[in-house]
């Protein structure tokens, strides 16, 4: 059972285009984290969203947590080749410690 | 301020051998988590430990796998009698508390031949 569904799983776009990655669940999370992972490396934390409806911006990246804290999105404006990588969302539940990961979105940005 | 350190980065074992993966958490972090990742997949939770205690091992296979986080020294994930299906990247993460942000190491890539 996949508790967190990410879509799309693969995305190949041209430099300068915009894109959105979705992370959906039927479960409520106390917080949701977005990570970026490059081949051969560990996931690097990009952002944590905690409050329903919260929006956080990190340069060209905009993260949103759904009002019901069941879903999240990552929007990248004017994608660059350096954005290429695997993007992972991960949900946390109170008092459990562990993260539940989506299956990831592989993004390729062509110059 | 060193991050989460995992070693070895790459480990090759023959079927039936034992694999020991080590994880030193970030300074000040007493919570350690182990995850496994298969190619082009997300990470799957295995076990959550605090110093000398296993808090949640719901993701650990029932046999051959064990984990510890002693009072002194790194956390160890031990896989006995490895099989080809154990080949994967194993990641360790640490955090200062239960509901705080976790930071990942670079992983150990285990190949069973």
């Amino acid at each position: 059972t996949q508790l967190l569904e990410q879509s799309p799983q693969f995305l190949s776009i041209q430099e300068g285009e915009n894109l959105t990655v979705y992370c959906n669940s039927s479960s409520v999370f106390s917080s949701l984290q977005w990570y970026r992972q490059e081949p051969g490396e560990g996931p690097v934390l990009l952002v944590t969203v905690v409050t329903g409806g919260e929006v956080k911006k990190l340069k060209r990246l905009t993260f949103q947590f759904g009002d019901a804290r069941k879903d999240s999105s990552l929007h990248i404006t004017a994608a660059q080749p350096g954005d290429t990588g695997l993007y992972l969302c991960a949900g946390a539940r109170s008092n459990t410690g562990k993260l539940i990961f989506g299956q990831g979105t592989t993004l390729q940005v062509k110059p | 301020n060193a991050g989460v350190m995992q070693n070895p980065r790459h480990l090759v074992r023959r079927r039936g051998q034992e694999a020991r993966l080590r994880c030193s958490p970030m300074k000040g972090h007493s919570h350690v988590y182990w995850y496994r990742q298969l190619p082009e997949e997300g990470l799957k939770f295995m076990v959550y430990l605090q110093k000398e205690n296993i808090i949640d091992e719901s993701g650990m296979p029932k046999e051959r796998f064990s984990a510890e986080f002693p009072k002194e020294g790194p956390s160890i994930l031990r896989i006995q009698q490895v099989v080809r299906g154990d080949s994967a990247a194993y990641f360790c993460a640490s955090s200062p508390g239960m509901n705080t942000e976790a930071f990942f190491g670079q992983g150990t890539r285990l190949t069973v031949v």
Side-chain angles (χ1 to χ4, degrees):
Chain A
T1 303
Q2 186 65 39
L3 293 180
L4 268 175
E5 295 283 346
Q6 273 188 250
S7 62
Q9 289 193 40
F10 300 96
L11 193 54
S12 181
I13 61 172
Q14 292 296 136
E15 182 176 2
E17 292 184 6
N18 302 332
L19 67 115
T20 302
V21 177
Y22 299 93
C23 181
N24 296 306
S25 176
S26 57
S27 302
V28 176
F29 293 102
S30 59
S31 68
L32 197 137
Q33 302 177 14
W34 283 92
Y35 291 84
R36 179 165 166 260
Q37 185 180 21
E38 296 194 37
E41 300 295 327
V44 175
L45 180 65
L46 296 174
V47 79
T48 300
V49 285
V50 177
T51 307
E54 182 177 4
V55 176
K56 281 192 174 179
K57 291 193 175 185
L58 187 66
K59 295 182 181 179
R60 294 177 292 101
L61 278 61
T62 301
F63 304 85
Q64 186 163 9
F65 201 12
D67 290 340
R69 289 186 288 132
K70 292 181 180 181
D71 52 82
S72 181
S73 64
L74 157 61
H75 182 80
I76 301 179
T77 304
Q80 298 176 1
D83 296 327
T84 293
L86 177 66
Y87 289 82
L88 296 159
C89 65
R93 293 207 177 96
S94 295
N95 303 319
T96 65
K98 66 184 179 187
L99 293 172
I100 297 169
F101 279 84
Q103 68 268 55
T105 295
T106 300
L107 171 64
Q108 180 188 43
V109 182
K110 302 177 199 173
Chain B
N1 186 17
V4 178
M5 304 299 292
Q6 287 188 250
N7 68 82
R9 289 290 306 274
H10 300 275
L11 184 60
V12 179
R13 284 288 178 265
R14 296 187 185 277
R15 281 177 295 172
Q17 290 185 319
E18 178 181 286
R20 280 184 178 240
L21 288 61
R22 294 175 185 78
C23 170
S24 295
M26 286 179 70
K27 188 176 180 181
H29 288 192
S30 58
H31 297 243
V32 165
Y33 315 82
W34 286 92
Y35 291 83
R36 177 164 61 178
Q37 185 178 36
L38 295 173
E40 296 190 13
E41 288 191 11
L43 282 73
K44 296 285 191 278
F45 168 79
M46 298 182 75
V47 63
Y48 166 28
L49 311 105
Q50 280 184 270
K51 286 285 186 180
E52 299 183 282
N53 288 308
I54 295 175
I55 307 301
D56 181 348
E57 57 181 347
S58 58
M60 288 280 269
K62 298 289 183 231
E63 296 176 347
R64 302 188 297 108
F65 284 71
S66 62
E68 62 177 8
F69 189 16
K71 188 176 180 181
E72 301 291 336
S75 174
I76 307 286
L77 178 67
R78 182 181 176 208
I79 311 173
Q80 294 178 290
Q81 299 173 348
V82 296
V83 301
R84 288 231 171 99
D86 297 332
S87 295
Y90 292 83
F91 289 97
C92 168
S94 73
S95 66
M98 177 184 279
N99 294 314
T100 54
E101 291 175 340
F103 296 87
F104 282 80
Q106 292 183 303
T108 293
R109 278 140 191 90
L110 173 65
T111 302
V112 180
V113 297

